[in-house]
Amino acid sequence: GIQVEQSPPDLILQEGANSTLRCNFSDSVNNLQWFHQNPWGQLINLFYIPSGTKQNGRLSATTVATERYSLLYISSSQTTDSGVYFCAVDKGGSEKLVFGKGTKLTVNP
Amino acid sequence: DAGVIQSPRHEVTEMGQEVTLRCKPISGHDYLFWYRQTMMRGLELLIYFNNNVPIDDSGMPEDRFSAKMPNASFSTLKIQPSEPRDSAVYFCASTAGTGASYEQYFGPGTRLTVT
């Protein structure tokens, strides 16, 4: 099946710093989503981005489908950005999302 | 829209008991998914439905697990009998799965503890 690798596994930042999270996948995809799992466990949709670039406030994401990777940028990080960021993909012809292991982000005040 | 609704939010039960988790998808969504999250295995898909029909249950761990979707607005995941290794957070998700977007939306999850 399709493999999803996220890096780095852990990231510690000071408030106000910028960061880039990476997601590599092993096959062409029909769907790519970024989620933030907050400390209460809720999975929050950040981006649906099978290709191209999107921005939402301090967050932006870029997927280069031909090179099989996606990047999530967080600028001017805040303590509320802490949590785990997941990348999930599904292969064309299937609606089954496969999740990476996540990047655990800690933003210190 | 209220989003995906799951109940209960927390469930504590003893080994051997039957557990039923419930999910109401977003109105108009044709696909419904059940996922399980554990520290060891991360987030994994258990089963998904399209138009109330089970499409792929290859992720269901064993016969103790069963899922139904009697109508477009309700699904259950049942574990009978439950075991301590079933302790996990169970998420339900839904998507329209049509047009330009297959974006899945997740419910708040049910945290199951089997003692």
Side-chain angles (χ1 to χ4, degrees):
Chain A
I2 195 166
Q3 305 296 314
V4 182
E5 293 184 0
Q6 291 187 243
S7 59
D10 294 280
L11 186 58
I12 300 174
L13 301 174
Q14 287 299 121
E15 202 167 24
N18 303 328
S19 62
T20 301
L21 283 57
R22 187 177 179 100
C23 172
N24 291 333
F25 43 95
S26 60
D27 206 339
S28 59
V29 299
N30 203 40
N31 176 4
L32 188 146
Q33 291 184 237
W34 283 97
F35 296 90
H36 174 215
Q37 188 165 39
N38 64 22
W40 295 270
Q42 190 167 4
L43 280 163
I44 299 165
N45 291 44
L46 296 177
F47 295 102
Y48 169 77
I49 187 166
S51 64
T53 297
K54 290 186 178 180
Q55 180 153 8
N56 184 3
R58 296 181 296 103
L59 274 59
S60 64
T62 295
T63 297
V64 184
T66 53
E67 297 188 21
R68 298 181 184 169
Y69 73 88
S70 183
L71 302 174
L72 177 69
Y73 306 96
I74 305 174
S75 64
S76 303
S77 57
Q78 301 175 357
T79 56
T80 52
D81 295 331
S82 295
V84 183
Y85 290 79
F86 289 102
C87 168
V89 303
D90 80 52
K91 192 171 157 50
S94 163
E95 290 74 27
K96 298 165 61 170
L97 273 181
V98 176
F99 281 77
K101 295 185 186 301
T103 292
K104 183 178 180 181
L105 174 65
T106 303
V107 181
N108 292 321
Chain B
D1 197 318
V4 176
I5 299 172
Q6 291 187 247
S7 64
R9 295 292 307 276
H10 301 272
E11 177 81 33
V12 180
T13 191
E14 292 185 349
M15 183 174 64
Q17 297 298 305
E18 178 179 294
V19 175
T20 300
L21 312 181
R22 297 173 175 80
C23 174
K24 176 179 169 55
I26 292 172
S27 177
H29 280 189
D30 297 329
Y31 289 85
L32 182 141
F33 306 81
W34 283 100
Y35 292 86
R36 179 172 68 175
Q37 185 177 33
T38 61
M39 289 295 293
M40 290 292 292
R41 300 175 66 92
L43 272 155
E44 52 182 349
L45 177 67
L46 300 178
I47 184 171
Y48 79 95
F49 297 82
N50 178 215
N51 291 322
N52 313 337
V53 176
I55 302 301
D56 187 335
D57 65 355
S58 59
M60 296 285 262
E62 48 197 275
D63 291 346
R64 298 183 298 104
F65 286 70
S66 63
K68 294 182 180 179
M69 192 164 186
N71 58 61
S73 59
F74 183 66
S75 177
T76 60
L77 178 67
K78 186 174 293 187
I79 308 172
Q80 166 63 18
S82 57
E83 297 182 3
R85 60 191 167 128
D86 302 331
S87 297
V89 180
Y90 291 81
F91 288 99
C92 176
S94 70
T95 181
T98 59
S101 174
Y102 295 83
E103 187 170 7
Q104 291 190 23
Y105 294 86
F106 282 70
T110 295
R111 182 174 296 276
L112 174 64
T113 303
V114 183
T115 61

